Amino acid sequence: MAAIIDLKLVAYGNTKKNSDGTFDCQHGVGECESDAIELCAQYKLSGDINSIESGDTSMEAWPFILCMEEEDGNPAKGQSCFESTMNTTALSWNTVQTCFEEEYDLVQNAAMKATPSHDYVPWALVDGVVLENTNMLTKAVCDAYTGIPPASCHFATKSIAPPKEDRCEA
């Protein structure tokens, strides 16, 4: 599947920037912190802050981001998630942690710039079209793909009822 997608993942969701320049996340301070840690990993993988907007490092950072999300976005799990998923990269946890401590505003502002206007999260686009049920993401990608589909698409295109999706309204 990874060979046929151009993934752009932005950990920002329904975050709001306040008039004083601080950020408020829908689910509190912990969400803002874990988002910033994930964004720092994406940024520092390339050394280019524009990687957050372009998505250039989304696939490489995906195992770390997935681990963080599976830990309910608990920022205290950042180091253990990083060490268990990113050990094949040249990036160090210390670099990510330093980014979080010193460049928090920079990565949050980059994520704000990269996040389109949306009505809820998760907000997924496939070929620029909003995917109403992100539980059907694999099927939507496979349906949109015009080349020879990978084996993973065989199962995704079976007609099954999708599970109900959890949404957080904006």
Side-chain angles (χ1 to χ4, degrees):
M1 181 65 62
I4 69 167
I5 63 171
D6 182 17
L7 178 69
K8 177 182 168 187
L9 229 150
V10 182
Y12 193 74
N14 289 327
T15 301
K16 304 291 183 219
K17 186 173 183 178
N18 300 313
S19 59
D20 65 358
T22 60
F23 294 88
D24 284 329
C25 290
Q26 183 175 14
H27 300 109
V29 173
E31 179 183 21
C32 280
E33 290 175 354
S34 65
D35 286 355
I37 291 167
E38 293 171 20
L39 294 163
C40 279
Q42 287 178 273
Y43 161 35
K44 293 301 180 176
L45 278 166
S46 70
D48 182 357
I49 192 65
N50 295 312
S51 292
I52 292 170
E53 186 171 5
S54 70
D56 291 345
T57 57
S58 291
M59 287 298 288
E60 191 174 5
W62 172 245
F64 172 62
I65 293 168
L66 179 61
C67 180
M68 290 293 290
E69 295 302 317
E70 288 174 342
E71 293 290 351
D72 295 323
N74 180 351
K77 299 291 186 175
Q79 184 171 2
S80 62
C81 279
F82 184 88
E83 290 173 352
S84 68
T85 61
M86 301 296 286
N87 55 10
T88 60
T89 70
L91 185 61
S92 72
W93 170 250
N94 187 52
T95 299
V96 173
Q97 183 66 32
T98 300
C99 169
F100 169 73
E101 293 167 358
E102 298 177 4
E103 298 180 275
Y104 178 90
D105 288 344
L106 178 69
V107 298
Q108 288 285 29
N109 279 305
M112 180 178 66
K113 180 181 173 189
T115 302
S117 176
H118 58 277
D119 298 324
Y120 52 84
V121 292
W123 188 254
L125 303 175
V126 176
D127 286 343
V129 177
V130 175
L131 183 61
E132 292 296 326
N133 184 339
T134 57
N135 290 317
M136 299 299 291
L137 180 61
T138 303
K139 182 178 182 334
V141 168
C142 292
D143 288 349
Y145 187 62
T146 58
I148 298 171
S152 55
C153 283
H154 174 71
F155 297 104
T157 56
K158 300 279 186 212
S159 181
I160 58 171
K164 183 169 176 359
E165 178 179 43
D166 290 330
R167 289 185 178 173
C168 292
E169 300 298 323

PDB file of all heavy atoms in Angstrom, residues 4-10 114-134 136-138 140-142 144 165:
ATOM      1  N   ILE A   4       1.826   3.083  -3.235  1.00  0.00           N
ATOM      2  CA  ILE A   4       0.858   3.755  -4.113  1.00  0.00           C
ATOM      3  C   ILE A   4       0.236   5.006  -3.495  1.00  0.00           C
ATOM      4  O   ILE A   4      -0.667   5.595  -4.073  1.00  0.00           O
ATOM      5  CB  ILE A   4      -0.256   2.794  -4.583  1.00  0.00           C
ATOM      6  CG1 ILE A   4      -1.175   2.384  -3.436  1.00  0.00           C
ATOM      7  CG2 ILE A   4       0.334   1.579  -5.285  1.00  0.00           C
ATOM      8  CD1 ILE A   4      -2.457   1.689  -3.882  1.00  0.00           C
ATOM      9  N   ILE A   5       0.706   5.413  -2.327  1.00  0.00           N
ATOM     10  CA  ILE A   5       0.122   6.601  -1.709  1.00  0.00           C
ATOM     11  C   ILE A   5       1.157   7.694  -1.503  1.00  0.00           C
ATOM     12  O   ILE A   5       2.344   7.434  -1.354  1.00  0.00           O
ATOM     13  CB  ILE A   5      -0.586   6.298  -0.369  1.00  0.00           C
ATOM     14  CG1 ILE A   5       0.395   5.784   0.674  1.00  0.00           C
ATOM     15  CG2 ILE A   5      -1.728   5.350  -0.546  1.00  0.00           C
ATOM     16  CD1 ILE A   5      -0.207   5.667   2.057  1.00  0.00           C
ATOM     17  N   ASP A   6       0.676   8.896  -1.485  1.00  0.00           N
ATOM     18  CA  ASP A   6       1.466  10.063  -1.137  1.00  0.00           C
ATOM     19  C   ASP A   6       0.824  10.599   0.134  1.00  0.00           C
ATOM     20  O   ASP A   6      -0.176  11.314   0.085  1.00  0.00           O
ATOM     21  CB  ASP A   6       1.403  11.091  -2.278  1.00  0.00           C
ATOM     22  CG  ASP A   6       2.244  12.318  -2.001  1.00  0.00           C
ATOM     23  OD1 ASP A   6       3.113  12.269  -1.110  1.00  0.00           O
ATOM     24  OD2 ASP A   6       2.017  13.333  -2.672  1.00  0.00           O
ATOM     25  N   LEU A   7       1.378  10.193   1.265  1.00  0.00           N
ATOM     26  CA  LEU A   7       0.774  10.495   2.559  1.00  0.00           C
ATOM     27  C   LEU A   7       1.254  11.831   3.099  1.00  0.00           C
ATOM     28  O   LEU A   7       2.444  12.117   3.100  1.00  0.00           O
ATOM     29  CB  LEU A   7       1.133   9.396   3.569  1.00  0.00           C
ATOM     30  CG  LEU A   7       0.619   9.569   4.983  1.00  0.00           C
ATOM     31  CD1 LEU A   7      -0.898   9.416   5.021  1.00  0.00           C
ATOM     32  CD2 LEU A   7       1.280   8.561   5.908  1.00  0.00           C
ATOM     33  N   LYS A   8       0.321  12.636   3.551  1.00  0.00           N
ATOM     34  CA  LYS A   8       0.636  13.874   4.257  1.00  0.00           C
ATOM     35  C   LYS A   8      -0.154  13.839   5.552  1.00  0.00           C
ATOM     36  O   LYS A   8      -1.375  13.932   5.551  1.00  0.00           O
ATOM     37  CB  LYS A   8       0.248  15.096   3.427  1.00  0.00           C
ATOM     38  CG  LYS A   8       0.494  16.404   4.158  1.00  0.00           C
ATOM     39  CD  LYS A   8       0.049  17.574   3.295  1.00  0.00           C
ATOM     40  CE  LYS A   8      -0.006  18.841   4.081  1.00  0.00           C
ATOM     41  NZ  LYS A   8      -0.581  19.932   3.286  1.00  0.00           N
ATOM     42  N   LEU A   9       0.544  13.676   6.638  1.00  0.00           N
ATOM     43  CA  LEU A   9      -0.065  13.572   7.957  1.00  0.00           C
ATOM     44  C   LEU A   9       0.293  14.807   8.766  1.00  0.00           C
ATOM     45  O   LEU A   9       1.474  15.146   8.878  1.00  0.00           O
ATOM     46  CB  LEU A   9       0.538  12.350   8.648  1.00  0.00           C
ATOM     47  CG  LEU A   9      -0.414  11.391   9.287  1.00  0.00           C
ATOM     48  CD1 LEU A   9       0.174  10.012   9.251  1.00  0.00           C
ATOM     49  CD2 LEU A   9      -0.755  11.802  10.657  1.00  0.00           C
ATOM     50  N   VAL A  10      -0.682  15.501   9.304  1.00  0.00           N
ATOM     51  CA  VAL A  10      -0.415  16.696  10.096  1.00  0.00           C
ATOM     52  C   VAL A  10      -1.097  16.549  11.450  1.00  0.00           C
ATOM     53  O   VAL A  10      -2.324  16.499  11.527  1.00  0.00           O
ATOM     54  CB  VAL A  10      -0.924  17.982   9.391  1.00  0.00           C
ATOM     55  CG1 VAL A  10      -0.580  19.211  10.223  1.00  0.00           C
ATOM     56  CG2 VAL A  10      -0.350  18.094   7.993  1.00  0.00           C
ATOM     57  N   ALA A 114      -0.368  24.118   7.502  1.00  0.00           N
ATOM     58  CA  ALA A 114      -0.558  22.913   6.680  1.00  0.00           C
ATOM     59  C   ALA A 114      -1.936  22.292   6.810  1.00  0.00           C
ATOM     60  O   ALA A 114      -2.292  21.401   6.038  1.00  0.00           O
ATOM     61  CB  ALA A 114       0.498  21.871   7.059  1.00  0.00           C
ATOM     62  N   THR A 115      -2.725  22.737   7.783  1.00  0.00           N
ATOM     63  CA  THR A 115      -4.031  22.134   8.050  1.00  0.00           C
ATOM     64  C   THR A 115      -5.129  22.880   7.304  1.00  0.00           C
ATOM     65  O   THR A 115      -5.343  24.066   7.543  1.00  0.00           O
ATOM     66  CB  THR A 115      -4.321  22.135   9.566  1.00  0.00           C
ATOM     67  OG1 THR A 115      -3.278  21.409  10.229  1.00  0.00           O
ATOM     68  CG2 THR A 115      -5.658  21.492   9.871  1.00  0.00           C
ATOM     69  N   PRO A 116      -5.833  22.183   6.419  1.00  0.00           N
ATOM     70  CA  PRO A 116      -6.917  22.856   5.695  1.00  0.00           C
ATOM     71  C   PRO A 116      -8.116  23.111   6.610  1.00  0.00           C
ATOM     72  O   PRO A 116      -8.240  22.495   7.664  1.00  0.00           O
ATOM     73  CB  PRO A 116      -7.296  21.835   4.605  1.00  0.00           C
ATOM     74  CG  PRO A 116      -6.922  20.518   5.186  1.00  0.00           C
ATOM     75  CD  PRO A 116      -5.711  20.776   6.054  1.00  0.00           C
ATOM     76  N   SER A 117      -8.955  24.004   6.179  1.00  0.00           N
ATOM     77  CA  SER A 117     -10.210  24.225   6.885  1.00  0.00           C
ATOM     78  C   SER A 117     -10.959  22.891   6.898  1.00  0.00           C
ATOM     79  O   SER A 117     -10.979  22.169   5.902  1.00  0.00           O
ATOM     80  CB  SER A 117     -11.021  25.287   6.147  1.00  0.00           C
ATOM     81  OG  SER A 117     -12.261  25.447   6.752  1.00  0.00           O
ATOM     82  N   HIS A 118     -11.540  22.554   8.035  1.00  0.00           N
ATOM     83  CA  HIS A 118     -12.213  21.257   8.161  1.00  0.00           C
ATOM     84  C   HIS A 118     -13.377  21.354   9.137  1.00  0.00           C
ATOM     85  O   HIS A 118     -13.439  22.261   9.954  1.00  0.00           O
ATOM     86  CB  HIS A 118     -11.217  20.177   8.600  1.00  0.00           C
ATOM     87  CG  HIS A 118     -10.540  20.499   9.904  1.00  0.00           C
ATOM     88  ND1 HIS A 118      -9.436  21.315   9.995  1.00  0.00           N
ATOM     89  CD2 HIS A 118     -10.832  20.126  11.166  1.00  0.00           C
ATOM     90  CE1 HIS A 118      -9.071  21.427  11.259  1.00  0.00           C
ATOM     91  NE2 HIS A 118      -9.904  20.715  11.997  1.00  0.00           N
ATOM     92  N   ASP A 119     -14.270  20.394   9.034  1.00  0.00           N
ATOM     93  CA  ASP A 119     -15.455  20.365   9.890  1.00  0.00           C
ATOM     94  C   ASP A 119     -15.306  19.423  11.073  1.00  0.00           C
ATOM     95  O   ASP A 119     -16.043  19.528  12.048  1.00  0.00           O
ATOM     96  CB  ASP A 119     -16.680  19.937   9.072  1.00  0.00           C
ATOM     97  CG  ASP A 119     -16.978  20.911   7.942  1.00  0.00           C
ATOM     98  OD1 ASP A 119     -16.788  22.129   8.143  1.00  0.00           O
ATOM     99  OD2 ASP A 119     -17.391  20.461   6.868  1.00  0.00           O
ATOM    100  N   TYR A 120     -14.403  18.474  10.990  1.00  0.00           N
ATOM    101  CA  TYR A 120     -14.203  17.469  12.034  1.00  0.00           C
ATOM    102  C   TYR A 120     -12.844  16.813  11.814  1.00  0.00           C
ATOM    103  O   TYR A 120     -12.201  17.018  10.791  1.00  0.00           O
ATOM    104  CB  TYR A 120     -15.319  16.404  12.004  1.00  0.00           C
ATOM    105  CG  TYR A 120     -15.518  15.792  10.635  1.00  0.00           C
ATOM    106  CD1 TYR A 120     -14.734  14.723  10.200  1.00  0.00           C
ATOM    107  CD2 TYR A 120     -16.482  16.295   9.762  1.00  0.00           C
ATOM    108  CE1 TYR A 120     -14.903  14.179   8.944  1.00  0.00           C
ATOM    109  CE2 TYR A 120     -16.656  15.744   8.503  1.00  0.00           C
ATOM    110  CZ  TYR A 120     -15.858  14.692   8.099  1.00  0.00           C
ATOM    111  OH  TYR A 120     -16.026  14.153   6.844  1.00  0.00           O
ATOM    112  N   VAL A 121     -12.418  16.050  12.783  1.00  0.00           N
ATOM    113  CA  VAL A 121     -11.216  15.231  12.631  1.00  0.00           C
ATOM    114  C   VAL A 121     -11.579  13.799  12.994  1.00  0.00           C
ATOM    115  O   VAL A 121     -12.466  13.584  13.817  1.00  0.00           O
ATOM    116  CB  VAL A 121     -10.038  15.752  13.516  1.00  0.00           C
ATOM    117  CG1 VAL A 121      -9.553  17.093  13.021  1.00  0.00           C
ATOM    118  CG2 VAL A 121     -10.400  15.805  14.983  1.00  0.00           C
ATOM    119  N   PRO A 122     -10.925  12.822  12.393  1.00  0.00           N
ATOM    120  CA  PRO A 122      -9.895  12.991  11.376  1.00  0.00           C
ATOM    121  C   PRO A 122     -10.475  13.503  10.053  1.00  0.00           C
ATOM    122  O   PRO A 122     -11.600  13.170   9.698  1.00  0.00           O
ATOM    123  CB  PRO A 122      -9.317  11.591  11.206  1.00  0.00           C
ATOM    124  CG  PRO A 122     -10.396  10.665  11.649  1.00  0.00           C
ATOM    125  CD  PRO A 122     -11.201  11.406  12.681  1.00  0.00           C
ATOM    126  N   TRP A 123      -9.695  14.312   9.363  1.00  0.00           N
ATOM    127  CA  TRP A 123     -10.070  14.917   8.086  1.00  0.00           C
ATOM    128  C   TRP A 123      -9.143  14.318   7.039  1.00  0.00           C
ATOM    129  O   TRP A 123      -7.957  14.627   7.006  1.00  0.00           O
ATOM    130  CB  TRP A 123      -9.898  16.427   8.164  1.00  0.00           C
ATOM    131  CG  TRP A 123     -10.414  17.205   7.014  1.00  0.00           C
ATOM    132  CD1 TRP A 123      -9.657  17.809   6.040  1.00  0.00           C
ATOM    133  CD2 TRP A 123     -11.780  17.511   6.704  1.00  0.00           C
ATOM    134  NE1 TRP A 123     -10.467  18.465   5.162  1.00  0.00           N
ATOM    135  CE2 TRP A 123     -11.787  18.306   5.537  1.00  0.00           C
ATOM    136  CE3 TRP A 123     -12.992  17.189   7.289  1.00  0.00           C
ATOM    137  CZ2 TRP A 123     -12.954  18.772   4.964  1.00  0.00           C
ATOM    138  CZ3 TRP A 123     -14.150  17.666   6.720  1.00  0.00           C
ATOM    139  CH2 TRP A 123     -14.127  18.446   5.572  1.00  0.00           C
ATOM    140  N   ALA A 124      -9.655  13.444   6.236  1.00  0.00           N
ATOM    141  CA  ALA A 124      -8.831  12.752   5.244  1.00  0.00           C
ATOM    142  C   ALA A 124      -9.299  13.100   3.834  1.00  0.00           C
ATOM    143  O   ALA A 124     -10.499  13.138   3.564  1.00  0.00           O
ATOM    144  CB  ALA A 124      -8.909  11.241   5.452  1.00  0.00           C
ATOM    145  N   LEU A 125      -8.332  13.341   2.978  1.00  0.00           N
ATOM    146  CA  LEU A 125      -8.616  13.613   1.570  1.00  0.00           C
ATOM    147  C   LEU A 125      -7.971  12.519   0.735  1.00  0.00           C
ATOM    148  O   LEU A 125      -6.833  12.127   0.987  1.00  0.00           O
ATOM    149  CB  LEU A 125      -8.024  14.967   1.150  1.00  0.00           C
ATOM    150  CG  LEU A 125      -8.456  16.196   1.930  1.00  0.00           C
ATOM    151  CD1 LEU A 125      -7.675  17.422   1.468  1.00  0.00           C
ATOM    152  CD2 LEU A 125      -9.944  16.441   1.760  1.00  0.00           C
ATOM    153  N   VAL A 126      -8.694  12.036  -0.262  1.00  0.00           N
ATOM    154  CA  VAL A 126      -8.143  11.105  -1.243  1.00  0.00           C
ATOM    155  C   VAL A 126      -8.317  11.784  -2.592  1.00  0.00           C
ATOM    156  O   VAL A 126      -9.452  12.077  -3.005  1.00  0.00           O
ATOM    157  CB  VAL A 126      -8.849   9.729  -1.209  1.00  0.00           C
ATOM    158  CG1 VAL A 126      -8.317   8.820  -2.314  1.00  0.00           C
ATOM    159  CG2 VAL A 126      -8.661   9.072   0.155  1.00  0.00           C
ATOM    160  N   ASP A 127      -7.200  12.084  -3.230  1.00  0.00           N
ATOM    161  CA  ASP A 127      -7.220  12.845  -4.493  1.00  0.00           C
ATOM    162  C   ASP A 127      -8.009  14.143  -4.346  1.00  0.00           C
ATOM    163  O   ASP A 127      -8.776  14.533  -5.222  1.00  0.00           O
ATOM    164  CB  ASP A 127      -7.778  12.006  -5.647  1.00  0.00           C
ATOM    165  CG  ASP A 127      -6.779  10.957  -6.119  1.00  0.00           C
ATOM    166  OD1 ASP A 127      -5.584  11.079  -5.797  1.00  0.00           O
ATOM    167  OD2 ASP A 127      -7.205  10.032  -6.823  1.00  0.00           O
ATOM    168  N   GLY A 128      -7.845  14.808  -3.202  1.00  0.00           N
ATOM    169  CA  GLY A 128      -8.468  16.100  -2.976  1.00  0.00           C
ATOM    170  C   GLY A 128      -9.930  16.064  -2.571  1.00  0.00           C
ATOM    171  O   GLY A 128     -10.549  17.097  -2.373  1.00  0.00           O
ATOM    172  N   VAL A 129     -10.493  14.870  -2.430  1.00  0.00           N
ATOM    173  CA  VAL A 129     -11.908  14.721  -2.066  1.00  0.00           C
ATOM    174  C   VAL A 129     -11.995  14.227  -0.619  1.00  0.00           C
ATOM    175  O   VAL A 129     -11.316  13.272  -0.237  1.00  0.00           O
ATOM    176  CB  VAL A 129     -12.621  13.729  -3.018  1.00  0.00           C
ATOM    177  CG1 VAL A 129     -14.062  13.517  -2.603  1.00  0.00           C
ATOM    178  CG2 VAL A 129     -12.522  14.214  -4.455  1.00  0.00           C
ATOM    179  N   VAL A 130     -12.850  14.875   0.164  1.00  0.00           N
ATOM    180  CA  VAL A 130     -13.021  14.488   1.567  1.00  0.00           C
ATOM    181  C   VAL A 130     -13.559  13.070   1.657  1.00  0.00           C
ATOM    182  O   VAL A 130     -14.516  12.705   0.982  1.00  0.00           O
ATOM    183  CB  VAL A 130     -13.986  15.452   2.290  1.00  0.00           C
ATOM    184  CG1 VAL A 130     -14.263  14.977   3.713  1.00  0.00           C
ATOM    185  CG2 VAL A 130     -13.425  16.855   2.310  1.00  0.00           C
ATOM    186  N   LEU A 131     -12.933  12.278   2.491  1.00  0.00           N
ATOM    187  CA  LEU A 131     -13.373  10.915   2.755  1.00  0.00           C
ATOM    188  C   LEU A 131     -14.284  10.972   3.982  1.00  0.00           C
ATOM    189  O   LEU A 131     -13.832  11.288   5.080  1.00  0.00           O
ATOM    190  CB  LEU A 131     -12.167  10.003   3.010  1.00  0.00           C
ATOM    191  CG  LEU A 131     -12.444   8.543   3.238  1.00  0.00           C
ATOM    192  CD1 LEU A 131     -13.110   7.914   2.019  1.00  0.00           C
ATOM    193  CD2 LEU A 131     -11.141   7.817   3.558  1.00  0.00           C
ATOM    194  N   GLU A 132     -15.544  10.707   3.780  1.00  0.00           N
ATOM    195  CA  GLU A 132     -16.525  10.834   4.860  1.00  0.00           C
ATOM    196  C   GLU A 132     -16.298   9.826   5.991  1.00  0.00           C
ATOM    197  O   GLU A 132     -16.619  10.104   7.132  1.00  0.00           O
ATOM    198  CB  GLU A 132     -17.946  10.679   4.312  1.00  0.00           C
ATOM    199  CG  GLU A 132     -18.369  11.832   3.418  1.00  0.00           C
ATOM    200  CD  GLU A 132     -18.454  13.168   4.140  1.00  0.00           C
ATOM    201  OE1 GLU A 132     -18.828  13.197   5.331  1.00  0.00           O
ATOM    202  OE2 GLU A 132     -18.148  14.189   3.506  1.00  0.00           O
ATOM    203  N   ASN A 133     -15.781   8.670   5.688  1.00  0.00           N
ATOM    204  CA  ASN A 133     -15.538   7.647   6.704  1.00  0.00           C
ATOM    205  C   ASN A 133     -14.093   7.180   6.566  1.00  0.00           C
ATOM    206  O   ASN A 133     -13.770   6.398   5.677  1.00  0.00           O
ATOM    207  CB  ASN A 133     -16.509   6.477   6.532  1.00  0.00           C
ATOM    208  CG  ASN A 133     -16.368   5.441   7.626  1.00  0.00           C
ATOM    209  OD1 ASN A 133     -15.339   5.350   8.293  1.00  0.00           O
ATOM    210  ND2 ASN A 133     -17.399   4.648   7.815  1.00  0.00           N
ATOM    211  N   THR A 134     -13.230   7.652   7.450  1.00  0.00           N
ATOM    212  CA  THR A 134     -11.808   7.304   7.344  1.00  0.00           C
ATOM    213  C   THR A 134     -11.534   5.835   7.613  1.00  0.00           C
ATOM    214  O   THR A 134     -10.447   5.350   7.305  1.00  0.00           O
ATOM    215  CB  THR A 134     -10.949   8.177   8.281  1.00  0.00           C
ATOM    216  OG1 THR A 134     -11.405   8.032   9.627  1.00  0.00           O
ATOM    217  CG2 THR A 134     -10.999   9.633   7.850  1.00  0.00           C
ATOM    218  N   MET A 136     -12.696   3.727   5.890  1.00  0.00           N
ATOM    219  CA  MET A 136     -12.690   3.206   4.520  1.00  0.00           C
ATOM    220  C   MET A 136     -11.517   3.761   3.711  1.00  0.00           C
ATOM    221  O   MET A 136     -11.523   3.724   2.483  1.00  0.00           O
ATOM    222  CB  MET A 136     -14.018   3.552   3.832  1.00  0.00           C
ATOM    223  CG  MET A 136     -15.234   2.950   4.513  1.00  0.00           C
ATOM    224  SD  MET A 136     -15.203   1.141   4.565  1.00  0.00           S
ATOM    225  CE  MET A 136     -15.414   0.765   2.831  1.00  0.00           C
ATOM    226  N   LEU A 137     -10.498   4.259   4.395  1.00  0.00           N
ATOM    227  CA  LEU A 137      -9.355   4.879   3.718  1.00  0.00           C
ATOM    228  C   LEU A 137      -8.666   3.922   2.750  1.00  0.00           C
ATOM    229  O   LEU A 137      -8.411   4.279   1.595  1.00  0.00           O
ATOM    230  CB  LEU A 137      -8.353   5.413   4.743  1.00  0.00           C
ATOM    231  CG  LEU A 137      -7.106   6.080   4.174  1.00  0.00           C
ATOM    232  CD1 LEU A 137      -7.456   7.285   3.322  1.00  0.00           C
ATOM    233  CD2 LEU A 137      -6.162   6.482   5.306  1.00  0.00           C
ATOM    234  N   THR A 138      -8.364   2.723   3.184  1.00  0.00           N
ATOM    235  CA  THR A 138      -7.676   1.774   2.307  1.00  0.00           C
ATOM    236  C   THR A 138      -8.502   1.501   1.058  1.00  0.00           C
ATOM    237  O   THR A 138      -7.982   1.527  -0.055  1.00  0.00           O
ATOM    238  CB  THR A 138      -7.367   0.456   3.047  1.00  0.00           C
ATOM    239  OG1 THR A 138      -6.578   0.762   4.204  1.00  0.00           O
ATOM    240  CG2 THR A 138      -6.611  -0.511   2.166  1.00  0.00           C
ATOM    241  N   ALA A 140     -10.769   3.427  -0.292  1.00  0.00           N
ATOM    242  CA  ALA A 140     -10.809   4.644  -1.110  1.00  0.00           C
ATOM    243  C   ALA A 140      -9.514   4.824  -1.894  1.00  0.00           C
ATOM    244  O   ALA A 140      -9.543   5.191  -3.079  1.00  0.00           O
ATOM    245  CB  ALA A 140     -11.078   5.861  -0.232  1.00  0.00           C
ATOM    246  N   VAL A 141      -8.386   4.548  -1.268  1.00  0.00           N
ATOM    247  CA  VAL A 141      -7.096   4.649  -1.963  1.00  0.00           C
ATOM    248  C   VAL A 141      -7.032   3.618  -3.081  1.00  0.00           C
ATOM    249  O   VAL A 141      -6.653   3.932  -4.215  1.00  0.00           O
ATOM    250  CB  VAL A 141      -5.919   4.476  -0.974  1.00  0.00           C
ATOM    251  CG1 VAL A 141      -4.599   4.292  -1.718  1.00  0.00           C
ATOM    252  CG2 VAL A 141      -5.840   5.663  -0.026  1.00  0.00           C
ATOM    253  N   CYS A 142      -7.419   2.408  -2.786  1.00  0.00           N
ATOM    254  CA  CYS A 142      -7.389   1.346  -3.806  1.00  0.00           C
ATOM    255  C   CYS A 142      -8.339   1.656  -4.958  1.00  0.00           C
ATOM    256  O   CYS A 142      -7.998   1.445  -6.123  1.00  0.00           O
ATOM    257  CB  CYS A 142      -7.723  -0.005  -3.178  1.00  0.00           C
ATOM    258  SG  CYS A 142      -6.442  -0.596  -2.054  1.00  0.00           S
ATOM    259  N   ALA A 144      -9.228   4.588  -5.985  1.00  0.00           N
ATOM    260  CA  ALA A 144      -8.713   5.742  -6.729  1.00  0.00           C
ATOM    261  C   ALA A 144      -7.469   5.414  -7.548  1.00  0.00           C
ATOM    262  O   ALA A 144      -7.163   6.095  -8.524  1.00  0.00           O
ATOM    263  CB  ALA A 144      -8.405   6.887  -5.762  1.00  0.00           C
ATOM    264  N   GLU A 165     -17.339   5.451  12.635  1.00  0.00           N
ATOM    265  CA  GLU A 165     -16.170   6.296  12.843  1.00  0.00           C
ATOM    266  C   GLU A 165     -16.405   7.255  14.008  1.00  0.00           C
ATOM    267  O   GLU A 165     -17.486   7.791  14.168  1.00  0.00           O
ATOM    268  CB  GLU A 165     -15.903   7.090  11.566  1.00  0.00           C
ATOM    269  CG  GLU A 165     -14.736   8.033  11.693  1.00  0.00           C
ATOM    270  CD  GLU A 165     -14.501   8.787  10.404  1.00  0.00           C
ATOM    271  OE1 GLU A 165     -15.459   9.245   9.787  1.00  0.00           O
ATOM    272  OE2 GLU A 165     -13.329   8.897  10.038  1.00  0.00           O
TER     273      GLU A 165
END
